[in-house]
PDB file of all heavy atoms in Angstrom:
ATOM      1  N   GLN A 186      17.456  13.633  10.307  1.00  0.00           N
ATOM      2  CA  GLN A 186      18.424  13.258  11.316  1.00  0.00           C
ATOM      3  C   GLN A 186      18.678  14.465  12.221  1.00  0.00           C
ATOM      4  O   GLN A 186      18.452  15.607  11.828  1.00  0.00           O
ATOM      5  CB  GLN A 186      19.752  12.830  10.676  1.00  0.00           C
ATOM      6  CG  GLN A 186      19.677  11.498   9.957  1.00  0.00           C
ATOM      7  CD  GLN A 186      21.057  11.078   9.466  1.00  0.00           C
ATOM      8  OE1 GLN A 186      21.372  11.223   8.297  1.00  0.00           O
ATOM      9  NE2 GLN A 186      21.870  10.583  10.382  1.00  0.00           N
ATOM     10  N   THR A 187      19.134  14.192  13.416  1.00  0.00           N
ATOM     11  CA  THR A 187      19.485  15.270  14.333  1.00  0.00           C
ATOM     12  C   THR A 187      20.730  15.988  13.815  1.00  0.00           C
ATOM     13  O   THR A 187      21.762  15.356  13.585  1.00  0.00           O
ATOM     14  CB  THR A 187      19.767  14.701  15.737  1.00  0.00           C
ATOM     15  OG1 THR A 187      18.560  14.138  16.244  1.00  0.00           O
ATOM     16  CG2 THR A 187      20.257  15.782  16.682  1.00  0.00           C
ATOM     17  N   ALA A 188      20.605  17.299  13.621  1.00  0.00           N
ATOM     18  CA  ALA A 188      21.750  18.096  13.165  1.00  0.00           C
ATOM     19  C   ALA A 188      22.605  18.503  14.355  1.00  0.00           C
ATOM     20  O   ALA A 188      22.088  18.923  15.390  1.00  0.00           O
ATOM     21  CB  ALA A 188      21.264  19.328  12.417  1.00  0.00           C
ATOM     22  N   ASN A 189      23.913  18.385  14.193  1.00  0.00           N
ATOM     23  CA  ASN A 189      24.862  18.741  15.251  1.00  0.00           C
ATOM     24  C   ASN A 189      25.646  20.003  14.956  1.00  0.00           C
ATOM     25  O   ASN A 189      26.239  20.590  15.861  1.00  0.00           O
ATOM     26  CB  ASN A 189      25.815  17.572  15.487  1.00  0.00           C
ATOM     27  CG  ASN A 189      25.096  16.359  16.022  1.00  0.00           C
ATOM     28  OD1 ASN A 189      24.665  16.351  17.163  1.00  0.00           O
ATOM     29  ND2 ASN A 189      24.927  15.340  15.190  1.00  0.00           N
ATOM     30  N   ALA A 241      28.548  18.282  25.069  1.00  0.00           N
ATOM     31  CA  ALA A 241      28.665  18.953  23.773  1.00  0.00           C
ATOM     32  C   ALA A 241      27.446  19.791  23.424  1.00  0.00           C
ATOM     33  O   ALA A 241      27.469  20.520  22.424  1.00  0.00           O
ATOM     34  CB  ALA A 241      28.903  17.926  22.670  1.00  0.00           C
ATOM     35  N   LYS A 245      27.139  23.096  20.608  1.00  0.00           N
ATOM     36  CA  LYS A 245      26.145  22.951  19.536  1.00  0.00           C
ATOM     37  C   LYS A 245      25.170  24.127  19.565  1.00  0.00           C
ATOM     38  O   LYS A 245      24.813  24.691  18.528  1.00  0.00           O
ATOM     39  CB  LYS A 245      25.339  21.661  19.707  1.00  0.00           C
ATOM     40  CG  LYS A 245      26.064  20.390  19.400  1.00  0.00           C
ATOM     41  CD  LYS A 245      25.095  19.232  19.629  1.00  0.00           C
ATOM     42  CE  LYS A 245      25.804  17.901  19.702  1.00  0.00           C
ATOM     43  NZ  LYS A 245      24.854  16.803  19.950  1.00  0.00           N
ATOM     44  N   GLU A 347      29.582  18.334   8.306  1.00  0.00           N
ATOM     45  CA  GLU A 347      29.535  17.122   9.125  1.00  0.00           C
ATOM     46  C   GLU A 347      28.438  17.224  10.198  1.00  0.00           C
ATOM     47  O   GLU A 347      28.645  16.908  11.365  1.00  0.00           O
ATOM     48  CB  GLU A 347      30.903  16.867   9.765  1.00  0.00           C
ATOM     49  CG  GLU A 347      31.998  16.648   8.719  1.00  0.00           C
ATOM     50  CD  GLU A 347      33.367  16.412   9.343  1.00  0.00           C
ATOM     51  OE1 GLU A 347      33.465  16.381  10.590  1.00  0.00           O
ATOM     52  OE2 GLU A 347      34.319  16.247   8.559  1.00  0.00           O
ATOM     53  N   ALA A 348      27.285  17.661   9.752  1.00  0.00           N
ATOM     54  CA  ALA A 348      26.164  17.886  10.669  1.00  0.00           C
ATOM     55  C   ALA A 348      25.574  16.600  11.225  1.00  0.00           C
ATOM     56  O   ALA A 348      25.036  16.589  12.328  1.00  0.00           O
ATOM     57  CB  ALA A 348      25.069  18.676   9.972  1.00  0.00           C
ATOM     58  N   PHE A 349      25.689  15.510  10.474  1.00  0.00           N
ATOM     59  CA  PHE A 349      24.962  14.299  10.837  1.00  0.00           C
ATOM     60  C   PHE A 349      25.904  13.135  11.124  1.00  0.00           C
ATOM     61  O   PHE A 349      26.869  12.899  10.395  1.00  0.00           O
ATOM     62  CB  PHE A 349      24.012  13.892   9.708  1.00  0.00           C
ATOM     63  CG  PHE A 349      23.080  15.009   9.298  1.00  0.00           C
ATOM     64  CD1 PHE A 349      23.186  15.586   8.042  1.00  0.00           C
ATOM     65  CD2 PHE A 349      22.105  15.478  10.169  1.00  0.00           C
ATOM     66  CE1 PHE A 349      22.342  16.613   7.657  1.00  0.00           C
ATOM     67  CE2 PHE A 349      21.258  16.515   9.794  1.00  0.00           C
ATOM     68  CZ  PHE A 349      21.370  17.084   8.531  1.00  0.00           C
ATOM     69  N   PHE A 350      25.606  12.418  12.199  1.00  0.00           N
ATOM     70  CA  PHE A 350      26.300  11.164  12.468  1.00  0.00           C
ATOM     71  C   PHE A 350      25.752  10.100  11.524  1.00  0.00           C
ATOM     72  O   PHE A 350      24.652  10.257  10.986  1.00  0.00           O
ATOM     73  CB  PHE A 350      26.075  10.734  13.923  1.00  0.00           C
ATOM     74  CG  PHE A 350      26.601  11.707  14.946  1.00  0.00           C
ATOM     75  CD1 PHE A 350      25.908  11.925  16.115  1.00  0.00           C
ATOM     76  CD2 PHE A 350      27.787  12.396  14.745  1.00  0.00           C
ATOM     77  CE1 PHE A 350      26.384  12.817  17.073  1.00  0.00           C
ATOM     78  CE2 PHE A 350      28.267  13.291  15.689  1.00  0.00           C
ATOM     79  CZ  PHE A 350      27.565  13.494  16.860  1.00  0.00           C
ATOM     80  N   PRO A 351      26.490   9.005  11.312  1.00  0.00           N
ATOM     81  CA  PRO A 351      25.917   7.910  10.519  1.00  0.00           C
ATOM     82  C   PRO A 351      24.582   7.466  11.115  1.00  0.00           C
ATOM     83  O   PRO A 351      24.427   7.429  12.344  1.00  0.00           O
ATOM     84  CB  PRO A 351      26.964   6.802  10.627  1.00  0.00           C
ATOM     85  CG  PRO A 351      28.241   7.535  10.919  1.00  0.00           C
ATOM     86  CD  PRO A 351      27.855   8.720  11.759  1.00  0.00           C
ATOM     87  N   ARG A 352      23.634   7.140  10.250  1.00  0.00           N
ATOM     88  CA  ARG A 352      22.309   6.773  10.742  1.00  0.00           C
ATOM     89  C   ARG A 352      22.366   5.473  11.524  1.00  0.00           C
ATOM     90  O   ARG A 352      22.953   4.486  11.094  1.00  0.00           O
ATOM     91  CB  ARG A 352      21.324   6.632   9.582  1.00  0.00           C
ATOM     92  CG  ARG A 352      19.894   6.356  10.090  1.00  0.00           C
ATOM     93  CD  ARG A 352      18.894   6.213   8.953  1.00  0.00           C
ATOM     94  NE  ARG A 352      18.582   7.473   8.312  1.00  0.00           N
ATOM     95  CZ  ARG A 352      17.820   8.426   8.840  1.00  0.00           C
ATOM     96  NH1 ARG A 352      17.336   8.278  10.061  1.00  0.00           N
ATOM     97  NH2 ARG A 352      17.560   9.528   8.183  1.00  0.00           N
ATOM     98  N   SER A 353      21.739   5.490  12.683  1.00  0.00           N
ATOM     99  CA  SER A 353      21.664   4.298  13.519  1.00  0.00           C
ATOM    100  C   SER A 353      20.526   3.398  13.058  1.00  0.00           C
ATOM    101  O   SER A 353      19.588   3.861  12.393  1.00  0.00           O
ATOM    102  CB  SER A 353      21.432   4.693  14.980  1.00  0.00           C
ATOM    103  OG  SER A 353      22.526   5.451  15.464  1.00  0.00           O
TER     104      SER A 353
END
Side-chain angles (χ1 to χ4, degrees):
Q186 289 186 259
T187 295
N189 295 289
K245 288 180 195 179
E347 300 179 2
F349 306 113
F350 299 143
R352 185 180 287 286
S353 297

